[in-house]
Amino acid sequence: MYGRTRVDAALKASRPGEELLVKGWVRTVRVGKEVTFLSVNDGSCMAGLQVVVEPTLPNYQDVCRLGTGSAIAVRGTLRESPAAGQKYELAADELEIIGPADDSYPLQKKRHSFEYLRTITHLRPRTNTFGAVFRVRSSLAQAVHRFFAERGFLYVHTPIITANDCEGAGELFRVTTLDMAKPPLAAGEVDYSGDFFAQATGLTVSGQLEGELFAQAFSDIYTFGPTFRAENSNTARHAAEFWMIEPEMAFADLMADAALAEDFLRFLCRHVLDNCGEDMAFFNEQIDKGLLERVRAVADSSFAVMEYTEAITHLKKAKVPFAFPVEWGLDLQSEHERYITEKVVGGPVFLVNYPRDIKAFYMRQNDDGKTVAAMDLLVPKVGEIIGGSQREERLDLLLERMAETGINEEGLWWYLDSRRWGSCPHAGFGLGFERLLMYLTGMENIRDVIPFPRTPRHAEF
RNA sequence: UCCCCAAUAGCUCAGUCGGUAGAGCGGGUGGCUGUUAACCACCAUGUCCCUGGUUCGAGUCCGGGUUGGGGAGCCA
C-alpha cells in the first residue's frame, strides 16, 4: 500500500502513472454525464489537484452531488492532463466522501470580501488568499529563526506575564485572580497583596528589558513571541495581540543595530521571493500589483541613513501641505515619515538620532545633549516598520532619565543591576511580525494576516 | 478616542425625482459539455440594519442607535 500524498508533492514530485492516495477539501465540482471534474485542495499549496471521475465509479451519483467544502479521499492514478489548465490530474479509481458539506457552507466558489470572511474567521483559511497568507506567515516565522540561528543569536523566551510595563509602551491587560465583583481595597485602591502574584501584573507589552539582560550574558539574543497592548486603537495596523521580534546585541552601537536591521529585512524579502513563489505571485496578481517589484527592490537595495535633524529640514522645505506641524523637537507623523521615504529618499531609510524628549528613557543619550541614539526604519507605502536604539549603558545617565520621565526605579531594580556590573554598550530593535507580513504580502489589514485577530470588542474564535 | 463613509436576496452589488424590489454569482430543475470560479434555459429566495420622525406615500429625506469600513491619534 501507499501513504497519503500531499497535493504539492503530487503536482511537483510525482511521476505520471504513479498510484496515489490524496485527501483534501473540494473547491469546485463540474458535473457531466460522461465525466466529472473536482478540484481538491489540502492547503499544501495554492494549486488544487484536478480529480477526474468517470461514471463507472460505484458512488458516481453521490460524487456528482458533492458540495464545495466537502472532505474527500481519492485513490487513483496520476496522469498527464489532455486538456489545458493543468499539467497533471488524478484519475479516480476510488473516492471516499469523508465529510460532506451541504449548500449552507458559507464559502462559495467566488470572490468574497475580506469583511465578510472576517465574520467566518474559522473557515477563511480554506480560501486561496488566506491559504497563501498563512503559508507565508509560517514560512516567514521559520526564516526569522534561521536568520538569527545562522548568526549565533540565542533565542530567549521572555515572560508573557509581567509586573513591569516596560517603557509605558502601551496599556497593560490586567492579569489577576482577584474577584472582579468585589476586589479587596486598601486606601481606595485595589489591594493586590492577596492576588496570585501578590502584586499587580499584566500581559507583556515588550520583552526588551528582559532581552537586554540576556544580551549581557549571551552577547546576541532575540525574542519572537506574542505581545499585548490594551490600547483602544481602531486601525488597520493595530491589534491587541500581535507577535514581535526583538533582537538585542551586546558590544554594538546604533550603526551596528541598523546594519542588522537592514540584513534582516533584506534576508526576509529574499526568503519569500525564493521560497513562497506561488503565493507571492498570487499576491502580486490579486492583492497588490506592484508587490514583487517592491520586495525585489528592497531585497537588492542598500538602505539610506538620515539624521532626524536633516529630515526636519527636508520637511520644512516640502511643497506639500502637512496636517501636522513640522518643528525640531516634535515627533514625526505618518504623513511625514511617508514623505521622507517615498518622496525624498524613494526607498528604505533609517532615520537616526531623534530628540531625546520624544523617545523612551532607556535610549542612549548622544554627546550633543539634545538627541538620543534611536533609529526608525521607514519604508515606502507603510512608513515605520522597525524601531530601535542603542541603550543607555551608563547608570548615572540612565537614572537621570528615569527621574526626568517619571519611571519608578524600584520596579526596575533588576534592570538597573545590569548597569552596575559589567555594563556594556548594546543595541536592539523591535519589529512587528504582522506589519512585516502586511508589507511582504500587500495585505492591507492586520486582521487579515493574523489567524485569529484580537482587536477592541473582538475576541471571538 | 476623534473625523468621514457605508448597511438592500446566501454572497457581490444596482435601485433615477420619495410612488411599495432588481442583476450577477450561489441554490433547485432540465439540457449540453475533457471541464477550468464551464456553458444554455427555466424556477425559488427579501425584517431594504434597528428605532423615532417628516409625508397621502420612505429602500430613498431628517434625528438617535447598532454594526462594518476608511482615515487620524496612540504605536509595532
Side-chain angles (χ1 to χ4, degrees):
Chain A
M1 273 310 285
Y2 45 90
R4 173 189 172 203
T5 303
R6 297 283 227 127
V7 169
D8 64 335
L11 292 175
K12 282 171 201 144
S14 303
R15 300 251 182 284
E18 214 170 324
E19 214 178 342
L20 300 177
L21 173 64
V22 171
K23 300 183 183 186
W25 293 269
V26 173
R27 284 289 179 82
T28 67
V29 184
R30 293 181 289 277
V31 180
K33 269 212 186 66
E34 300 307 316
V35 63
T36 286
F37 300 94
L38 308 175
S39 177
V40 177
N41 184 287
D42 66 0
S44 59
C45 58
M46 170 75 61
L49 178 64
Q50 172 159 289
V51 173
V52 186
V53 188
E54 309 259 350
T56 50
L57 222 65
N59 58 346
Y60 186 71
Q61 290 309 314
D62 295 332
V63 172
C64 291
R65 277 194 290 274
L66 273 175
T68 300
S70 304
I72 62 169
V74 188
R75 193 175 57 77
T77 309
L78 192 81
R79 66 186 185 198
E80 288 184 13
S81 181
Q86 61 283 315
K87 191 167 183 206
Y88 297 117
E89 63 186 23
L90 190 66
D93 297 323
E94 201 179 301
L95 192 153
E96 182 193 351
I97 299 168
I98 296 173
D102 64 19
D103 60 19
S104 63
Y105 183 61
L107 292 169
Q108 299 173 5
K109 47 181 178 180
K110 58 170 284 193
R111 194 183 197 100
H112 292 286
S113 68
F114 291 142
E115 291 81 11
Y116 171 66
L117 292 172
R118 275 175 219 144
T119 68
I120 49 169
T121 300
H122 56 311
L123 296 172
R124 65 180 188 170
R126 298 193 197 182
T127 64
N128 283 337
T129 300
F130 289 94
V133 165
F134 296 125
R135 274 189 299 273
V136 171
R137 185 180 170 112
S138 170
S139 183
L140 204 56
Q142 296 182 26
V144 167
H145 288 300
R146 190 172 321 127
F147 174 86
F148 288 116
E150 283 173 0
R151 284 159 183 77
F153 280 62
L154 183 101
Y155 176 33
V156 53
H157 299 114
T158 51
I160 309 279
I161 298 174
T162 178
N164 79 280
D165 65 354
C166 193
E167 61 217 74
E171 289 297 311
L172 233 62
F173 282 103
R174 282 265 97 90
V175 172
T176 181
T177 55
L178 292 176
D179 183 354
M180 301 298 287
K182 41 181 190 324
L185 299 177
E189 307 237 307
V190 176
D191 177 14
Y192 289 98
S193 64
D195 201 355
F196 188 91
F197 295 107
Q199 61 182 318
T201 52
L203 298 177
T204 183
V205 296
S206 166
Q208 180 196 315
L209 300 189
E210 288 93 348
E212 285 185 48
L213 305 180
F214 265 55
Q216 290 173 82
F218 298 94
S219 299
D220 298 323
I221 66 96
Y222 71 106
T223 73
F224 182 11
T227 307
F228 309 88
R229 304 274 168 93
E231 301 283 357
N232 188 17
S233 295
N234 295 286
T235 83
R237 287 184 203 79
H238 291 83
E241 176 181 300
F242 61 99
W243 283 59
M244 193 153 61
I245 299 152
E246 295 179 289
E248 192 75 30
M249 297 182 291
F251 312 110
D253 62 11
L254 189 68
M255 285 304 105
D257 199 29
L260 180 74
E262 178 173 343
D263 283 352
F264 185 51
L265 192 59
R266 291 174 59 184
F267 177 92
L268 296 174
C269 288
R270 189 83 264 152
H271 175 85
V272 293
L273 291 172
D274 292 346
N275 296 278
C276 307
E278 187 186 32
D279 292 326
M280 291 301 288
F282 174 86
F283 291 127
N284 192 57
E285 187 74 26
Q286 301 290 332
I287 306 292
D288 179 355
K289 296 283 183 202
L291 177 70
L292 284 177
E293 195 186 342
R294 206 173 61 239
V295 173
R296 282 197 198 103
V298 172
D300 295 336
S301 67
S302 67
F303 301 178
V305 178
M306 185 187 289
E307 296 275 334
Y308 165 91
T309 303
E310 188 188 344
I312 293 294
T313 307
H314 282 293
L315 290 168
K316 277 184 170 297
K317 282 193 301 198
K319 298 274 194 307
V320 292
F322 291 121
F324 288 85
V326 174
E327 203 63 54
W328 199 99
L330 296 181
D331 209 354
L332 300 182
Q333 304 296 324
S334 301
E335 56 177 351
H336 306 140
E337 294 179 340
R338 290 190 59 172
Y339 179 83
I340 294 291
T341 181
E342 289 168 10
K343 298 291 190 301
V344 178
V345 177
V349 55
F350 287 104
L351 281 194
V352 299
N353 298 327
Y354 283 74
R356 58 175 230 168
D357 291 337
I358 58 171
K359 289 293 182 182
F361 76 92
Y362 52 74
M363 296 187 179
R364 192 179 195 277
Q365 295 184 56
N366 289 323
D367 293 340
D368 61 13
K370 297 188 300 184
T371 61
V372 288
M375 63 153 196
D376 283 351
L377 177 61
L378 312 180
V379 293
K381 205 177 174 227
V382 170
E384 182 185 338
I385 193 166
I386 286 176
S389 66
Q390 185 173 342
R391 321 305 190 187
E392 182 57 79
E393 84 280 12
R394 298 161 295 189
L395 181 62
D396 52 338
L397 289 170
L398 183 59
L399 287 169
E400 196 180 292
R401 281 301 288 159
M402 287 174 72
E404 281 172 17
T405 53
I407 305 283
N408 184 4
E409 273 181 49
E410 281 162 36
L412 290 176
W413 63 272
W414 45 272
Y415 182 70
L416 293 169
D417 267 3
S418 69
R419 272 64 169 175
R420 290 197 169 95
W421 305 296
S423 188
C424 69
H426 59 289
F429 63 81
L431 168 63
F433 188 53
E434 284 75 18
R435 292 198 179 166
L436 174 71
L437 261 168
M438 291 167 72
Y439 186 63
L440 294 179
T441 61
M443 296 293 289
E444 289 186 336
N445 196 309
I446 196 168
R447 287 171 273 234
D448 297 330
V449 297
I450 304 181
F452 301 97
R454 270 80 180 97
T455 53
R457 304 188 309 284
H458 295 280
E460 209 175 4
F461 307 106

